[in-house]
Amino acid sequence: MNRRILGIELRRSAAPWAGVLVVVVAFGFLYSFSGPWGHSAEDWTEQWTNAAGWGRFLLNVLWPLVVGAGALQGLRDHRSGVGELLSSTPRPVLHRALKTLGATAITLAAGYLVIFAVAAVQVVANEGYFHLGWVPTVLVGVLGMVAGAWLGIGVGRTLPSALTPPLLALASLVGITFLTLGSDPASSLGGAVPMRVSLLSPALSGVRDVFAVVSDRVSAGQAVWLVGMAATGLLLATASTARRRLVSLLPVAVGAAVALAVLPADRAQTYVVDQAATELVCQGRLCVTKMHEAQLATAGGQAEEALRLLAKLPDPPTGVREVVIAKSDTGVRPRSATEVTATFDDLDLGEVGAGKLTRRLVSGAGAPTCFGWGDSTTRDQYEKATRETIARSVAASWFVDSYAPPHDTRNSDYPEYRESNDLAKRTWDSLRALPADEQLARMTALRSVSLSCQGDQLDALTGGAP
Amino acid sequence: MRWLTLYARSRQVPASVTALLISTTALWFLTAGDTPGFRMASIALATAVAVMAVGLGGQDLDLDRTAAVRWLPRRAAHVLLIGTLAATALLALQSAGPDLAPTAFVIRDSAGLMGLAALAATAFGAQYAWTLPFAWPTIAFFIPHADSNAFRASTWMLQPPDTPAATWTALTLAVLGTTAYAVAGPRR
């Protein structure tokens, strides 16, 4: 009997619609807009952590929708006017409520897991680094969906008015936006909300670093708060007297109090670096992080080739090593005279095409760029960075012995790109016109500039001539 | 006059207007200090339209249809009134205190959201009329910035007032929604 009623609820209530809505909105979002979830190493289909993290980001949109759907579900009895009839039956209210709540929870959890499953299948196909650090992130996401819907049902039953669903849905939208944006110092709210409070939002702000996983403390705090919220929803859905309704608010209050005590107060403790993923695995002279292990076979040959080409230099590097830097790190990247240091993005074969790794490793004569992510803000800086890009590209062409322009102008024809390409070609031609030992001397000079980050790499190549 | 009073009561206008006044005042009061306020202004207008939209259907549609009155102009007037009320409430507050958004922005957003509410009422029924004016801004907030007309049209309620793509989208929605609701009425 119970199974049959649950089956009917699953087929004929608002529950299946809510599940479908979640999936449609999520995929509509991920596939129709090109956002940070589709870029480079943080792509939502590249790594397990990314798949889980972007799923949680989607809660920013999905959570208010789910709360609204729950409120509509909770109003159903009132709309059909069967409250009096049902209260005359001897069966406890809980029995009936559990089926509605259960059906909603099942479809929403299924919808959320479908999103994750689609991401996970692609992660497996992309040979992402497998670990279990993503499990709490996904589970808290499922819990968030269920808690939101149950709260909606509970409030809908408590305040059975046609105005309840729109007001509740919009209140949850305002709330979650306020929490998510409020802690971000760059937003218009300017960090008005303490980090601890902002973490009460079931959504996350997106994946910024592939090595960072949500810390267990954050997941635990959020889980306690969301369980409290779900319990309040359940109690509200079954309460019939004013006193019981008041008591129903207890779990969510306790949950919030416990969560606030558990959640970390500063941003640095929200995400932790997955140490196991950053461990180096070596094959021959190439060392990459555990997360890149799958690419070792493809990248190994190209790294050897790059080292062989760099051996022309008087004091050549003897290995290639991946270095872990956070996107937020400022200052110059780590560099070494004995090894070629490459970042995660440099080694990301999916992003550049497998054949280009060698060229990338020998550019700048085996040393990384001297400019960071936020270093082209002033005109002067931008100019320097552009000159460096040209010099690095010409150096790469010299090592692989085939010219390629620094910018691909087939798709985007900016005037700046054309100027850069012209300058690169001129530099290349004048460099190749020199005697062989002079060419090598200039390349050695470029290498010492790129290792010390003192001076101008293009000047080193041209010998000071413009 | 008697007809109007009865109509307003059957459409829950007193409760909706109360909710509209309270929610608009609360949102304006909480956020008027912040700039830029386009996000909050569009949320305030979406809330106003959403709470008014639950009245886009009566207690008994079959009974309504037996009435020998011309529904088409009355339905159109009801939809337009929702947009007007939403815009007026915010503009009145803004004239008394700090601005959340320029007048042209408020009018464009109210018109577009009003159209969405009317469309939802026609397609899904009055009790679901709030879903579209709520769901579109919710999604639009998180659409990543792009320099294309598709982006400006999909985030029309957040664009500055002098954006043609946004204005046209809002206008299309307003006309489509009002016409559809005036002709077909709410879904049963």
Side-chain angles (χ1 to χ4, degrees), chain A residues 111-200:
Chain A
Y112 190 82
L113 290 175
V114 163
I115 304 168
F116 181 73
V118 168
V121 168
Q122 298 182 71
V123 170
V124 172
N126 287 335
E127 301 186 53
Y129 162 67
F130 186 78
H131 61 113
L132 289 172
W134 51 268
V135 174
T137 315
V138 173
L139 289 182
V140 170
V142 172
L143 200 56
M145 299 288 272
V146 173
W150 284 17
L151 185 74
I153 295 177
V155 175
R157 290 229 174 139
T158 313
L159 307 166
S161 150
L163 289 171
T164 307
L167 282 176
L168 190 64
L170 280 149
S172 60
L173 171 65
V174 172
I176 201 166
T177 311
F178 186 69
L179 289 183
T180 311
L181 289 179
S183 71
D184 186 358
S187 78
S188 59
L189 290 166
V193 182
M195 193 68 206
R196 206 171 252 162
V197 179
S198 127
L199 285 172
L200 289 179

XYZ file of all heavy atoms in Angstrom, chain A residues 111-200:
637
model
N 17.684 13.935 -9.707
C 18.026 14.985 -10.670
C 19.437 15.493 -10.443
O 20.228 15.615 -11.379
N 19.772 15.735 -9.185
C 21.101 16.266 -8.873
C 22.175 15.247 -9.229
O 23.228 15.593 -9.776
C 21.174 16.614 -7.384
C 22.412 17.376 -7.013
C 22.491 18.740 -7.201
C 23.511 16.718 -6.483
C 23.628 19.447 -6.873
C 24.662 17.413 -6.145
C 24.709 18.771 -6.343
O 25.841 19.473 -6.020
N 21.881 13.966 -8.917
C 22.875 12.935 -9.200
C 23.028 12.697 -10.700
O 24.109 12.327 -11.164
C 22.516 11.640 -8.466
C 22.688 11.742 -6.951
C 22.189 10.475 -6.269
C 24.151 11.986 -6.572
N 21.958 12.919 -11.456
C 22.077 12.789 -12.916
C 23.078 13.818 -13.448
O 23.940 13.503 -14.262
C 20.697 12.964 -13.603
C 20.864 13.238 -15.090
C 19.849 11.721 -13.401
N 22.984 15.046 -12.921
C 23.923 16.088 -13.350
C 25.356 15.633 -13.060
O 26.241 15.706 -13.900
C 23.660 17.413 -12.603
C 22.224 17.850 -12.796
C 24.608 18.505 -13.075
C 21.828 18.972 -11.856
N 25.537 15.142 -11.809
C 26.885 14.713 -11.425
C 27.325 13.519 -12.265
O 28.483 13.445 -12.680
C 26.932 14.370 -9.937
C 28.301 13.959 -9.496
C 29.298 14.905 -9.374
C 28.598 12.634 -9.237
C 30.580 14.540 -9.006
C 29.865 12.256 -8.856
C 30.862 13.211 -8.744
N 26.386 12.599 -12.533
C 26.746 11.393 -13.280
C 27.196 11.759 -14.693
O 28.181 11.197 -15.200
C 25.567 10.429 -13.333
N 26.504 12.697 -15.333
C 26.895 13.101 -16.686
C 28.303 13.682 -16.662
O 29.128 13.407 -17.531
C 25.876 14.117 -17.257
C 26.410 14.765 -18.519
C 24.559 13.432 -17.525
N 28.582 14.481 -15.612
C 29.926 15.037 -15.479
C 30.923 13.906 -15.222
O 32.002 13.864 -15.833
C 29.974 16.049 -14.341
N 30.551 12.967 -14.349
C 31.483 11.914 -13.939
C 31.875 11.024 -15.113
O 33.043 10.656 -15.262
C 30.858 11.077 -12.829
N 30.906 10.706 -15.975
C 31.208 9.866 -17.134
C 32.267 10.545 -18.003
O 33.226 9.921 -18.459
C 29.925 9.594 -17.955
C 30.253 8.986 -19.297
C 28.994 8.684 -17.180
N 32.125 11.864 -18.170
C 33.099 12.587 -18.990
C 34.445 12.701 -18.294
O 35.482 12.688 -18.946
C 32.562 13.980 -19.320
C 31.286 13.891 -20.127
C 30.767 15.263 -20.498
O 31.337 15.944 -21.325
N 29.678 15.678 -19.870
N 34.406 12.807 -16.950
C 35.659 12.847 -16.207
C 36.422 11.547 -16.407
O 37.631 11.547 -16.658
C 35.403 13.095 -14.703
C 36.688 12.900 -13.917
C 34.860 14.487 -14.476
N 35.693 10.428 -16.350
C 36.338 9.128 -16.554
C 36.915 9.073 -17.970
O 38.053 8.656 -18.176
C 35.335 7.986 -16.305
C 35.937 6.657 -16.711
C 34.924 7.963 -14.841
N 36.136 9.550 -18.941
C 36.619 9.536 -20.328
C 37.831 10.443 -20.492
O 38.736 10.138 -21.261
C 35.499 9.986 -21.264
N 37.875 11.535 -19.745
C 39.006 12.463 -19.822
C 40.160 12.042 -18.926
O 41.111 12.792 -18.749
C 38.574 13.876 -19.421
C 37.731 14.525 -20.487
O 37.833 14.172 -21.653
N 36.893 15.469 -20.096
N 40.049 10.850 -18.322
C 41.083 10.311 -17.445
C 41.439 11.259 -16.315
O 42.601 11.593 -16.097
C 42.340 9.961 -18.253
C 42.052 8.943 -19.336
C 43.319 8.482 -20.027
O 44.243 8.065 -19.306
O 43.376 8.547 -21.247
N 40.418 11.791 -15.620
C 40.657 12.645 -14.459
C 41.275 11.840 -13.320
O 41.133 10.615 -13.263
N 41.952 12.528 -12.445
C 42.607 11.860 -11.314
C 41.546 11.430 -10.313
O 40.775 12.257 -9.819
C 43.601 12.823 -10.676
C 44.026 12.451 -9.286
C 44.788 11.303 -9.066
C 43.662 13.227 -8.199
C 45.172 10.957 -7.794
C 44.049 12.894 -6.913
C 44.803 11.750 -6.728
O 45.176 11.411 -5.464
N 41.493 10.125 -10.022
C 40.443 9.647 -9.143
C 40.847 9.722 -7.673
O 41.928 9.331 -7.277
C 40.052 8.202 -9.470
C 38.873 7.755 -8.675
C 37.597 8.147 -9.032
C 39.041 7.004 -7.512
C 36.508 7.786 -8.275
C 37.951 6.639 -6.753
C 36.687 7.030 -7.133
N 39.946 10.261 -6.868
C 40.110 10.291 -5.423
C 38.699 10.380 -4.852
O 37.730 10.464 -5.610
C 40.954 11.500 -5.009
C 40.334 12.804 -5.399
N 39.868 13.708 -4.499
C 40.069 13.348 -6.616
C 39.356 14.749 -5.126
N 39.473 14.561 -6.417
N 38.555 10.363 -3.536
C 37.211 10.382 -2.969
C 36.896 11.696 -2.268
O 35.889 11.815 -1.586
C 37.020 9.197 -2.018
C 36.944 7.849 -2.747
C 36.962 6.703 -1.759
C 35.708 7.758 -3.620
N 37.748 12.691 -2.438
C 37.545 13.978 -1.766
C 36.289 14.697 -2.214
O 35.807 15.591 -1.515
N 35.729 14.300 -3.362
C 34.542 14.982 -3.876
C 33.262 14.468 -3.231
O 32.217 15.103 -3.343
C 34.450 14.818 -5.394
C 34.565 13.386 -5.851
C 35.716 12.742 -6.207
C 33.515 12.420 -5.959
N 35.455 11.448 -6.531
C 34.113 11.209 -6.390
C 32.145 12.444 -5.737
C 33.374 10.054 -6.604
C 31.410 11.290 -5.945
C 32.024 10.113 -6.369
N 33.316 13.295 -2.568
C 32.085 12.664 -2.076
C 31.294 13.580 -1.128
O 30.096 13.800 -1.336
C 32.385 11.301 -1.433
C 31.142 10.717 -0.801
C 32.941 10.344 -2.468
N 31.948 14.194 -0.091
C 31.169 15.076 0.792
C 30.545 16.251 0.034
O 29.408 16.634 0.317
C 32.202 15.577 1.801
C 33.321 14.631 1.737
C 33.334 14.071 0.364
N 31.265 16.785 -0.940
C 30.740 17.919 -1.703
C 29.432 17.548 -2.391
O 28.456 18.310 -2.353
C 31.779 18.349 -2.753
O 33.056 18.383 -2.147
C 31.455 19.699 -3.320
N 29.405 16.365 -3.007
C 28.191 15.940 -3.706
C 27.074 15.640 -2.708
O 25.924 16.048 -2.907
C 28.487 14.706 -4.583
C 27.211 14.150 -5.174
C 29.450 15.076 -5.681
N 27.424 14.947 -1.609
C 26.385 14.580 -0.640
C 25.739 15.814 -0.026
O 24.518 15.869 0.145
C 26.975 13.693 0.463
C 27.348 12.282 0.005
C 27.870 11.468 1.174
C 26.149 11.574 -0.623
N 26.542 16.825 0.297
C 25.974 18.058 0.843
C 25.069 18.710 -0.199
O 24.024 19.272 0.137
C 27.094 19.012 1.317
C 26.531 20.384 1.656
C 27.811 18.445 2.519
N 25.450 18.611 -1.478
C 24.604 19.150 -2.542
C 23.237 18.476 -2.566
O 22.200 19.141 -2.633
N 23.238 17.130 -2.486
C 21.968 16.389 -2.468
C 21.147 16.809 -1.250
O 19.942 17.083 -1.343
C 22.238 14.864 -2.438
C 20.951 14.100 -2.216
C 22.907 14.428 -3.726
N 21.827 16.884 -0.116
C 21.151 17.274 1.126
C 20.545 18.672 0.986
O 19.432 18.941 1.454
C 22.187 17.248 2.262
C 21.681 17.149 3.682
C 20.800 15.936 3.829
C 22.865 17.060 4.636
N 21.276 19.567 0.330
C 20.783 20.924 0.134
C 19.509 20.945 -0.685
O 18.553 21.660 -0.360
N 19.470 20.143 -1.734
C 18.267 20.080 -2.575
C 17.077 19.586 -1.752
O 15.996 20.170 -1.775
C 18.474 19.099 -3.733
C 19.589 19.441 -4.653
S 19.217 20.842 -5.672
C 18.420 20.092 -7.028
N 17.296 18.474 -1.026
C 16.200 17.876 -0.253
C 15.741 18.843 0.841
O 14.533 19.075 1.024
C 16.650 16.524 0.339
C 15.596 15.970 1.269
C 16.964 15.547 -0.771
N 16.710 19.448 1.549
C 16.352 20.345 2.648
C 15.553 21.534 2.126
O 14.551 21.933 2.729
C 17.614 20.824 3.362
N 15.974 22.096 0.981
C 15.263 23.232 0.409
C 13.817 22.880 0.070
O 12.889 23.616 0.400
N 13.636 21.725 -0.580
C 12.289 21.323 -0.976
C 11.416 21.039 0.247
O 10.246 21.429 0.309
C 12.366 20.083 -1.869
N 11.985 20.362 1.249
C 11.199 20.027 2.454
C 10.812 21.288 3.203
O 9.692 21.404 3.707
C 11.978 19.079 3.364
C 11.996 17.670 2.843
C 11.700 17.279 1.566
C 12.302 16.482 3.578
N 11.831 15.928 1.464
C 12.190 15.403 2.671
C 12.671 16.231 4.895
C 12.432 14.085 3.060
C 12.910 14.914 5.286
C 12.781 13.857 4.368
N 11.733 22.224 3.256
C 11.399 23.496 3.904
C 10.239 24.156 3.159
O 9.289 24.664 3.771
C 12.623 24.422 3.909
C 12.430 25.732 4.656
C 12.433 25.481 6.154
C 13.510 26.743 4.305
N 10.311 24.115 1.820
C 9.236 24.679 1.004
C 7.901 24.011 1.298
O 6.881 24.673 1.494
N 7.908 22.668 1.367
C 6.669 21.938 1.648
C 6.134 22.322 3.029
O 4.941 22.607 3.204
C 6.901 20.405 1.571
C 7.276 20.016 0.140
C 5.675 19.651 2.037
C 7.599 18.554 -0.035
N 7.041 22.361 4.009
C 6.628 22.685 5.376
C 6.015 24.065 5.463
O 4.922 24.244 6.030
N 6.675 25.046 4.876
C 6.151 26.410 4.940
C 4.845 26.512 4.154
O 3.896 27.172 4.587
C 7.199 27.421 4.417
C 6.635 28.814 4.359
C 8.433 27.396 5.294
N 4.793 25.826 3.007
C 3.573 25.833 2.208
C 2.382 25.290 2.991
O 1.278 25.812 2.919
N 2.610 24.217 3.774
C 1.499 23.652 4.564
C 1.136 24.544 5.736
O -0.028 24.608 6.134
C 1.909 22.282 5.112
C 2.022 21.255 4.052
C 1.277 20.002 4.418
N 1.312 19.112 3.276
C 1.493 17.808 3.359
N 1.618 17.253 4.543
N 1.508 17.083 2.290
N 2.147 25.229 6.292
C 1.886 26.069 7.459
C 1.135 27.337 7.068
O 0.234 27.776 7.767
C 3.212 26.459 8.133
O 3.988 25.283 8.263
C 2.989 27.062 9.494
N 1.521 27.933 5.960
C 0.889 29.168 5.503
C 0.237 28.914 4.145
O 0.816 29.233 3.110
C 1.925 30.290 5.368
C 2.799 30.581 6.574
C 3.974 31.455 6.171
C 1.987 31.274 7.654
N -0.925 28.270 4.133
C -1.495 27.878 2.848
C -2.147 29.057 2.117
O -3.363 29.202 2.113
C -2.522 26.815 3.218
C -2.889 27.111 4.618
C -1.785 27.910 5.249
N -1.304 29.890 1.511
C -1.831 30.996 0.723
C -1.173 30.946 -0.645
O -0.044 30.479 -0.775
C -1.511 32.324 1.403
O -1.370 33.346 0.454
N -1.864 31.424 -1.655
C -1.296 31.430 -3.005
C -0.047 32.296 -3.067
O 0.780 32.152 -3.955
C -2.328 31.933 -4.001
N 0.091 33.198 -2.088
C 1.246 34.095 -2.095
C 2.501 33.440 -1.522
O 3.603 33.936 -1.704
C 0.935 35.346 -1.269
C -0.064 36.310 -1.874
C -0.456 37.372 -0.875
C 0.533 36.952 -3.104
N 2.316 32.314 -0.801
C 3.467 31.699 -0.137
C 4.559 31.255 -1.115
O 5.722 31.612 -0.913
C 3.009 30.514 0.727
O 1.988 30.982 1.589
C 4.145 29.956 1.533
N 4.224 30.487 -2.192
C 5.320 30.046 -3.073
C 6.135 31.190 -3.675
O 7.372 31.162 -3.560
C 4.604 29.219 -4.141
C 3.327 28.811 -3.525
C 2.940 29.897 -2.583
N 5.501 32.214 -4.281
C 6.363 33.263 -4.842
C 7.182 33.986 -3.784
O 8.379 34.250 -4.008
C 5.383 34.223 -5.528
C 4.050 33.881 -5.041
C 4.090 32.451 -4.651
N 6.586 34.265 -2.643
C 7.340 35.004 -1.624
C 8.497 34.170 -1.078
O 9.609 34.665 -0.907
C 6.415 35.432 -0.491
C 5.544 36.653 -0.809
C 4.600 36.947 0.335
C 6.409 37.875 -1.100
N 8.219 32.882 -0.842
C 9.267 32.018 -0.297
C 10.403 31.839 -1.297
O 11.590 31.908 -0.946
C 8.664 30.664 0.084
C 9.561 29.748 0.886
C 9.880 30.361 2.224
C 8.899 28.392 1.080
N 10.031 31.615 -2.569
C 11.050 31.404 -3.597
C 11.924 32.641 -3.731
O 13.151 32.551 -3.777
C 10.386 31.083 -4.927
N 11.306 33.817 -3.764
C 12.095 35.031 -3.930
C 12.916 35.342 -2.685
O 14.038 35.830 -2.791
C 11.195 36.195 -4.319
C 10.889 36.117 -5.822
C 9.537 36.664 -6.166
C 11.970 36.819 -6.616
N 12.361 35.010 -1.515
C 13.136 35.217 -0.294
C 14.374 34.323 -0.311
O 15.468 34.743 0.078
C 12.292 34.921 0.936
N 14.219 33.078 -0.785
C 15.384 32.199 -0.808
C 16.385 32.663 -1.854
O 17.597 32.520 -1.655
C 14.975 30.746 -1.041
O 14.312 30.626 -2.254
N 15.901 33.228 -2.955
C 16.823 33.781 -3.958
C 17.614 34.950 -3.369
O 18.843 35.013 -3.502
C 16.043 34.245 -5.193
C 16.837 35.027 -6.235
C 17.907 34.148 -6.853
C 15.940 35.582 -7.323
N 16.914 35.845 -2.694
C 17.597 36.987 -2.073
C 18.595 36.474 -1.039
O 19.749 36.905 -0.998
C 16.578 37.942 -1.426
C 17.294 39.011 -0.610
C 15.715 38.601 -2.478
N 18.150 35.509 -0.247
C 19.013 34.983 0.816
C 20.283 34.355 0.275
O 21.386 34.694 0.701
N 20.127 33.468 -0.705
C 21.308 32.736 -1.198
C 22.238 33.676 -1.957
O 23.464 33.577 -1.862
C 20.890 31.508 -2.040
C 22.040 30.512 -2.101
C 20.471 31.877 -3.434
C 21.628 29.154 -2.608
N 21.668 34.648 -2.683
C 22.511 35.616 -3.400
C 23.281 36.473 -2.403
O 24.469 36.740 -2.564
C 21.645 36.523 -4.293
O 20.767 35.695 -5.039
C 22.480 37.327 -5.242
N 22.588 36.869 -1.365
C 23.194 37.696 -0.326
C 24.352 36.946 0.341
O 25.444 37.485 0.519
C 22.123 38.057 0.695
C 22.573 39.025 1.734
C 22.849 40.335 1.402
C 22.702 38.629 3.053
C 23.268 41.235 2.369
C 23.107 39.520 4.022
C 23.391 40.827 3.683
N 24.112 35.663 0.669
C 25.160 34.882 1.327
C 26.342 34.650 0.400
O 27.498 34.796 0.790
C 24.604 33.535 1.792
C 23.647 33.553 2.967
C 23.245 32.137 3.335
C 24.280 34.227 4.162
N 26.064 34.273 -0.855
C 27.149 33.940 -1.767
C 27.963 35.174 -2.128
O 29.184 35.145 -2.145
C 26.597 33.290 -3.044
O 25.704 32.259 -2.672
C 27.707 32.698 -3.872
N 27.275 36.273 -2.423
C 27.993 37.479 -2.831
C 28.573 38.226 -1.639
O 29.596 38.880 -1.753
C 27.063 38.418 -3.590
C 26.643 37.990 -4.986
C 25.725 39.023 -5.573
C 27.849 37.810 -5.867
N 27.873 38.105 -0.497
C 28.225 38.937 0.646
C 29.626 38.720 1.171
O 30.252 39.638 1.687
N 30.136 37.491 1.006
C 31.456 37.220 1.576
C 32.561 37.595 0.597
O 33.723 37.637 0.958
C 31.565 35.741 1.916
O 31.633 35.006 0.730
N 32.189 37.834 -0.657
C 33.190 38.130 -1.677
C 33.595 39.593 -1.589
O 32.778 40.479 -1.830
C 32.593 37.814 -3.046
C 33.621 37.948 -4.159
O 34.757 38.317 -3.839
O 33.277 37.689 -5.310
N 34.847 39.875 -1.252
C 35.242 41.279 -1.091
C 35.112 42.072 -2.382
O 34.985 43.288 -2.362
C 36.718 41.188 -0.671
C 36.965 39.769 -0.338
C 35.948 38.947 -1.025
N 35.139 41.359 -3.535
C 35.083 42.068 -4.816
C 33.658 42.461 -5.208
O 33.467 43.221 -6.140
C 35.689 41.200 -5.906
N 32.647 41.941 -4.498
C 31.280 42.208 -4.919
C 30.802 43.563 -4.393
O 31.495 44.238 -3.640
C 30.350 41.111 -4.414
O 30.084 41.319 -3.052
N 29.577 43.919 -4.809
C 29.061 45.230 -4.416
C 28.784 45.288 -2.915
O 28.786 46.347 -2.316
C 27.798 45.549 -5.198
O 26.829 44.559 -4.958
N 28.544 44.110 -2.315
C 28.307 44.099 -0.872
C 29.621 44.217 -0.094
O 29.618 44.493 1.104
C 27.579 42.825 -0.454
C 26.130 42.734 -0.915
C 25.610 41.319 -0.767
C 25.264 43.681 -0.129
N 30.729 43.965 -0.794
C 32.045 44.226 -0.237
C 32.381 43.484 1.044
O 32.905 44.051 1.995
N 32.093 42.180 1.069
C 32.466 41.382 2.229
C 31.720 41.745 3.494
O 32.260 41.678 4.595
N 30.447 42.143 3.335
C 29.664 42.546 4.503
C 29.274 41.344 5.368
O 29.005 41.489 6.547
C 28.411 43.288 4.055
N 29.251 40.151 4.751
C 28.839 38.961 5.488
C 30.086 38.205 5.927
O 30.974 37.959 5.110
C 27.984 38.055 4.574
C 27.507 36.840 5.327
C 26.814 38.830 4.010
N 30.184 37.820 7.204
C 31.347 37.038 7.630
C 31.395 35.700 6.892
O 30.349 35.139 6.549
C 31.111 36.817 9.120
C 30.001 37.697 9.512
C 29.258 38.093 8.286
N 32.587 35.223 6.648
C 32.774 33.960 5.918
C 31.933 32.834 6.512
O 31.312 32.057 5.803
C 34.252 33.595 5.996
C 34.673 32.508 5.046
S 34.553 33.119 3.370
C 34.314 31.598 2.503
N 31.937 32.755 7.825
C 31.232 31.710 8.543
C 29.744 31.689 8.182
O 29.170 30.648 7.898
C 31.382 32.041 10.027
C 31.296 30.877 10.909
C 31.678 31.286 12.292
N 32.957 30.743 12.631
C 33.712 31.186 13.623
N 33.320 32.217 14.336
N 34.844 30.619 13.875
N 29.150 32.871 8.176
C 27.723 32.973 7.859
C 27.503 32.673 6.382
O 26.549 31.981 6.008
C 27.203 34.387 8.206
C 25.737 34.513 7.861
C 27.428 34.684 9.665
N 28.406 33.148 5.553
C 28.229 32.953 4.123
C 28.287 31.476 3.746
O 27.670 31.039 2.771
C 29.276 33.754 3.370
O 29.963 32.950 2.485
N 28.996 30.674 4.536
C 29.079 29.242 4.240
C 27.781 28.508 4.556
O 27.638 27.331 4.238
C 30.239 28.615 5.009
C 31.625 28.923 4.448
C 32.697 28.423 5.381
C 31.792 28.314 3.083
N 26.819 29.184 5.163
C 25.508 28.552 5.386
C 24.767 28.385 4.065
O 23.811 27.627 3.969
C 24.658 29.394 6.341
C 25.096 29.428 7.800
C 24.166 30.308 8.600
C 25.114 28.027 8.390
